[in-house]
Amino acid sequence: MLTPERIEEIKRDAQEEAETIYGNCSANITNIELLKLLAALEESQQQRDVAQANYKTYYAEATEVSKRLAEAQQTIARQREVLGFYANQEHWELPSFGRGQSKVTSDRGSKARELLKEGSDKV
């Protein structure tokens, strides 16, 4: 890769030669064409630098979104688990001989409150 210093050196040399020998050039390309190519190279390097910076920003944002997605999936799994507890008909039934409380009655909504508290801690 050409360093910015080397590019400037080549441009200076080409400009000097173009000023003194402009017209008939024995090279395959003229110094003017060389200058245009070097300008295009500089522009490409600048665009590459911008693209690299944009990629780093995108990558950081994508990583954050992935992290938040994983957390949301864990929350959904926990919500399904708690809802499943309350939706399970067996958890509403009284123990044998009609004594005591059902699992839902014994729970008194503590699973739901815990789940809601987990959600409020993340806000």
Side-chain angles (χ1 to χ4, degrees):
M1 180 176 129
L2 291 175
T3 64
E5 293 82 16
R6 179 66 180 132
I7 291 171
E8 285 303 315
E9 180 183 343
I10 293 170
K11 284 170 65 174
R12 265 193 318 275
D13 291 347
Q15 186 65 42
E16 288 172 7
E17 284 187 41
E19 291 171 358
T20 57
I21 312 175
Y22 184 74
N24 293 329
C25 203
S26 62
N28 290 334
I29 63 171
T30 66
N31 287 342
I32 299 300
E33 292 169 326
L34 177 60
L35 290 170
K36 289 178 182 177
L37 287 171
L38 289 169
L41 174 62
E42 281 181 315
E43 183 179 348
S44 294
Q45 288 176 331
Q46 289 171 353
Q47 289 174 351
R48 181 210 56 218
D49 292 344
V50 168
Q52 283 177 336
N54 288 342
Y55 172 77
K56 288 177 183 176
T57 300
Y58 165 78
Y59 184 78
E61 290 174 358
T63 301
E64 180 61 28
V65 168
S66 293
K67 178 183 170 189
R68 289 179 22 216
L69 176 61
E71 290 172 356
Q73 289 171 330
Q74 289 174 347
T75 298
I76 290 168
R78 179 78 176 118
Q79 289 170 340
R80 287 181 185 268
E81 178 186 332
V82 170
L83 286 173
F85 172 80
Y86 291 113
N88 187 336
Q89 188 64 35
E90 291 177 9
H91 292 165
W92 289 87
E93 295 172 1
L94 294 175
S96 300
F97 308 110
R99 293 189 169 159
Q101 299 176 329
S102 69
K103 289 181 180 180
V104 171
T105 305
S106 296
D107 174 67
R108 296 182 169 216
S110 67
K111 291 182 186 310
R113 281 191 300 281
E114 182 180 317
L115 186 64
L116 290 171
K117 186 175 185 261
E118 288 174 15
S120 67
D121 290 345
K122 294 181 182 179
V123 175

